[in-house]
Amino acid sequence: MKTLVSLLLLGLSFVTSADCTFRFASYYGDHMVLQQQPARAVVWGYGEPGAELTVSLEPGLEPGLGPGSLTISKTAVTINDEGVWKLMLPAMGYGGPYHLVAQQFTTNTTTIYLKDILFGDVWLCSGQSNMEMTVSQMFNASEELKMASDYPYIRLFAASLEQSDVELQDLIKVDLQWSLPSAGTLGQGNFTYFSAVCWVFGRHLAHRLKYPIGLVESSYSGTPVEAWSSKTALKKCGLSNAADNSYSFNFFDMMVASSSMYSVLWNAMIHPLINMTIKGAIWYQGEQNTEINTDLYNCTFPTLISDWRRRFHEGSLGQTDPIFPFGFVQLSTYQKAKQKDNYPVIRWHQTADFGYTPNSKMPNTFMAVTMDLGDEKSPYGSVHPRDKGTVGYRLYLGARAIAYGEKEVQFQGPFPVRIDVYYEYLYMNITYDQKLLMTGTCDNMFEVYCSTDKGKSYKWVPVPASYLVISPKRVTISFDGCPDAQGVRYAWNDWPCEYKRCSLYSVQKKLPAPLFVKYFAT
Ligand SMILES: *[C@@H]1O[C@H](CO)[C@@H](O)[C@H](O)[C@H]1NC(C)=O
Ligand SMILES: *[C@@H]1O[C@H](CO)[C@@H](O)[C@H](O)[C@H]1NC(C)=O
Ligand SMILES: *[C@@H]1O[C@H](CO)[C@@H](O)[C@H](O)[C@H]1NC(C)=O
Ligand SMILES: *[C@@H]1O[C@H](CO)[C@@H](O)[C@H](O)[C@H]1NC(C)=O
Ligand SMILES: *[C@@H]1O[C@H](CO)[C@@H](O)[C@H](O)[C@H]1NC(C)=O
Ligand SMILES: *[C@@H]1O[C@H](CO)[C@@H](O)[C@H](O)[C@H]1NC(C)=O
């Protein structure tokens, strides 16, 4: 009996689109935020195939509570043969509350509605466990939870952790239906909901913009980028399912019996959302790819971004910007004692090997550098640093500059614009794009690629602070003892410095200089 019931439940969850009960799709609910102008919000749902349907947008919290019978818009469509309807609302300025009334006309008229709808900006938050880490797990959690009720115009939504071998039309399950922030909705169990990075990012935006912000979390611990990528995106990077079908992947602590981990989260947790109009996305992922396809991340990650952009643009009938702003967190730290190259390699690949973003391969992106936020004593493991406040704030600066056009907002740490090597005098000048603030020690954060056997072999040699001169926009490194120097790199370590004590920061916003590597052309 028990088995039968669970089988039935399992069955039901996969036939949602064949179920013609008149309703909105899973992620349209009371208290939601719909994307404001200039885009038009897309609304869709299910109903009787062939039936006529209207959707009206009306002011007021819910029917009967508006200022009379004003209707802002009324859109009529015919439900298609699959029992799906989809339409665009007019472009709306931010604000609310509104309610949305849908009526289906069969032999009887059926009415359903959503109440307390706001217009504002909708941001999608995705990635692995560092995105999943909840507000209750971060430093200063109690202050954040206390602040929650000051932001009734931020609305939260969290998709359930699900996987699928095929692209699903709708979410299988929802962990948190659209809700107002509260200690309860923000502070669930460890790695459940709501995401601390997503919340802090949204809280800063709401505070600055003074209008509603919708936050949609869809993240899953321990997952590689391949799971979040469509088959088309993976193919562009030379990855095909056939090569991977014996692979069983360890999602956090749950073994997945799926034939392949490729695309399973794209299919179940992102593809269902593409019909929703969104402002942009933020992403915190990459730790898992320090073990899987590390060298391909400079392809898989930029390709994921362009693929998501194309699919959201299409799904929303052209309403989501085809190059919507995409912010991401450059990996933090993992192991202090056993320094390996894979963390810096992923950090570098996260920028498509440019070192900074946006760049020509990653337009309209912004990056929060976090390699200086290591937290060795995190009770969640050192791979899960608790300072999510700084992460969310640094992302917010990027959003202001890239997504909201505040060009003067500093969101990038210093980065070299040129490197001049003077072999005859055995020193190099690294010129940065902005003034440098020296914070921590400069011992060993720079390394020079040296040969001690007249160019037969090379190795990276750390530069002691006594070999460095830092002037306002320049680092001068002398390399006597290394006359054949062939390259220079900065912060190329899993754990490059103590908490907020890397060598170089920006003066104004104290943003860390990102890592870089440069080989000299000779
Ligand atoms: C229409 O409504 C009547 C009365 O509520 C009900 O008996 C009938 O089953 C309904 N028909 C349909 C097609 O839903
Ligand atoms: C925690 O809050 C205090 C006081 O508001 C602040 O000074 C400190 O920087 C915060 N710490 C972190 C890690 O966010
Ligand atoms: C998006 O809308 C279309 C109708 O245009 C519908 O068929 C589809 O199920 C919706 N969902 C997804 C994920 O495409
Ligand atoms: C979350 O993890 C911390 C640290 O391991 C633990 O103290 C706490 O009890 C956990 N909370 C829940 C709700 O499981
Ligand atoms: C990506 O990085 C690898 C080394 O890790 C390199 O061989 C390859 O050329 C890079 N690909 C792109 C597209 O930049
Ligand atoms: C290199 O930088 C130092 C310090 O700013 C400066 O004194 C020196 O003139 C520079 N060298 C060249 C060739 O520009």
Side-chain angles (χ1 to χ4, degrees):
M1 190 59 194
K2 204 164 165 231
T3 325
L4 185 62
V5 169
S6 56
L7 275 178
L8 281 173
L9 285 175
L10 191 71
L12 270 181
S13 65
F14 281 99
V15 296
T16 40
S17 60
D19 165 11
C20 292
T21 311
F22 181 40
R23 66 195 193 281
F24 292 92
S26 67
Y27 47 90
Y28 292 86
D30 295 344
H31 316 297
M32 82 179 299
V33 176
L34 289 170
Q35 181 58 42
Q36 65 156 331
Q37 66 187 15
R40 298 172 63 179
V42 170
V43 180
W44 71 282
Y46 311 93
E48 201 66 48
E52 295 299 316
L53 166 124
T54 61
V55 171
S56 310
L57 179 66
E58 296 170 2
L61 202 59
E62 60 184 306
L65 294 180
S69 59
L70 295 170
T71 295
I72 292 161
S73 73
K74 188 169 190 165
T75 315
V77 288
T78 305
I79 300 173
N80 75 13
D81 293 345
E82 281 85 51
V84 172
W85 53 270
K86 177 171 172 179
L87 52 86
M88 280 193 282
L89 298 176
M92 294 289 295
Y94 62 77
Y98 299 93
H99 55 273
L100 206 54
V101 181
Q103 287 197 301
Q104 174 180 264
F105 305 100
T106 49
T107 39
N108 295 343
T109 299
T110 325
T111 305
I112 55 176
Y113 69 90
L114 300 179
K115 64 179 180 189
D116 186 21
I117 304 297
L118 305 175
F119 284 85
D121 285 343
V122 180
W123 283 86
L124 172 64
C125 305
S126 186
Q128 59 177 112
S129 52
N130 271 310
M131 183 58 89
E132 225 182 358
M133 242 174 116
T134 65
V135 175
S136 53
Q137 292 177 271
M138 67 186 280
F139 279 140
N140 284 356
S142 50
E143 283 94 322
E144 288 291 340
L145 295 176
K146 240 181 268 153
M147 260 190 273
S149 57
D150 298 341
Y151 292 92
Y153 300 122
I154 300 180
R155 302 291 166 84
L156 317 169
F157 176 95
S160 296
L161 282 60
E162 299 287 350
Q163 305 149 43
S164 167
D165 288 333
V166 293
E167 291 185 343
L168 300 184
Q169 300 308 307
D170 203 350
L171 297 172
I172 295 173
K173 226 169 127 241
V174 170
D175 272 355
L176 179 69
Q177 258 304 350
W178 286 100
S179 303
L180 274 68
S182 69
T185 52
L186 283 177
Q188 290 293 311
N190 298 332
F191 301 106
T192 55
Y193 57 85
F194 194 80
S195 160
V197 169
C198 189
W199 162 252
V200 175
F201 174 76
R203 172 171 67 67
H204 282 295
L205 281 181
H207 190 79
R208 168 93 196 158
L209 299 166
K210 311 237 178 312
Y211 61 67
I213 298 290
L215 299 174
V216 176
E217 177 183 358
S218 187
S219 55
Y220 201 141
S221 286
T223 53
V225 72
E226 291 81 357
W228 295 102
S229 305
S230 74
K231 297 228 151 60
T232 319
L234 292 173
K235 215 171 276 164
K236 285 190 179 145
C237 297
L239 294 171
S240 71
N241 247 354
D244 189 52
N245 54 20
S246 62
Y247 197 85
S248 73
F249 190 72
N250 183 0
F251 280 103
F252 206 35
D253 48 12
M254 202 190 318
M255 285 306 281
V256 171
S258 157
S259 62
S260 165
M261 52 87 178
Y262 286 179
S263 307
V264 293
L265 303 178
W266 157 260
N267 290 341
M269 294 179 68
I270 301 296
H271 181 263
L273 301 173
I274 62 175
N275 283 359
M276 175 172 46
T277 314
I278 60 170
K279 171 76 178 176
I282 56 169
W283 170 261
Y284 193 162
Q285 189 279 335
E287 297 88 345
Q288 202 62 47
N289 288 98
T290 62
E291 289 161 33
I292 301 160
N293 292 333
T294 306
D295 288 346
L296 283 178
Y297 204 79
N298 52 2
C299 183
T300 48
F301 182 47
T303 306
L304 173 141
I305 296 173
S306 44
D307 191 60
W308 281 24
R309 283 173 168 167
R310 186 174 61 79
R311 300 300 295 272
F312 274 86
H313 180 67
E314 289 169 3
S316 65
L317 305 170
Q319 294 307 302
T320 296
D321 188 334
I323 50 159
F324 64 75
F326 193 105
F328 67 94
V329 181
Q330 196 181 37
L331 283 197
S332 187
T333 46
Y334 176 34
Q335 289 178 304
K336 199 179 203 170
K338 272 198 285 171
Q339 303 260 339
K340 280 191 284 185
D341 252 11
N342 43 8
Y343 267 65
V345 167
I346 289 289
R347 288 185 196 121
W348 185 244
H349 285 347
Q350 284 182 297
T351 66
D353 304 354
F354 282 74
Y356 57 88
T357 71
N359 59 54
S360 57
K361 281 193 180 166
M362 300 171 72
N364 227 24
T365 60
F366 51 97
M367 169 171 86
V369 177
T370 69
M371 65 180 176
D372 64 333
L373 302 180
D375 180 11
E376 214 179 1
K377 298 202 171 66
S378 171
Y380 314 106
S382 62
V383 76
H384 298 128
R386 284 166 293 174
D387 183 358
K388 295 296 190 254
T390 305
V391 178
Y393 177 71
R394 289 177 182 171
L395 276 175
Y396 153 74
L397 293 177
R400 280 178 63 187
I402 297 294
Y404 294 99
E406 289 190 69
K407 297 217 162 44
E408 70 290 354
V409 172
Q410 182 180 77
F411 70 103
Q412 293 161 308
F415 201 79
V417 283
R418 55 181 295 173
I419 299 177
D420 297 296
V421 189
Y422 307 107
Y423 282 104
E424 61 275 47
Y425 304 111
L426 297 172
Y427 76 88
M428 68 181 91
N429 276 350
I430 305 172
T431 307
Y432 279 81
D433 58 356
Q434 56 181 290
K435 278 198 185 139
L436 301 169
L437 177 74
M438 214 188 102
T439 300
T441 172
C442 278
D443 245 349
N444 303 336
M445 278 205 63
F446 284 93
E447 292 170 281
V448 172
Y449 202 42
C450 280
S451 172
T452 45
D453 51 13
K454 296 218 156 66
K456 279 195 218 100
S457 59
Y458 283 85
K459 63 173 191 218
W460 288 101
V461 177
V463 180
S466 57
Y467 279 61
L468 288 177
V469 179
I470 315 257
S471 35
K473 287 172 95 173
R474 191 174 282 164
V475 174
T476 302
I477 300 178
S478 72
F479 52 88
D480 50 15
C482 175
D484 291 318
Q486 283 303 297
V488 60
R489 66 187 190 182
Y490 172 74
W492 204 269
N493 270 312
D494 174 334
W495 202 295
C497 62
E498 293 300 318
Y499 181 73
K500 291 193 176 174
R501 301 291 291 168
C502 276
S503 306
L504 304 174
Y505 286 80
S506 69
V507 174
Q508 195 198 349
K509 296 269 193 223
K510 313 266 184 299
L511 297 170
L515 86 179
F516 74 82
V517 58
K518 173 78 184 164
Y519 292 94
F520 307 144
T522 45

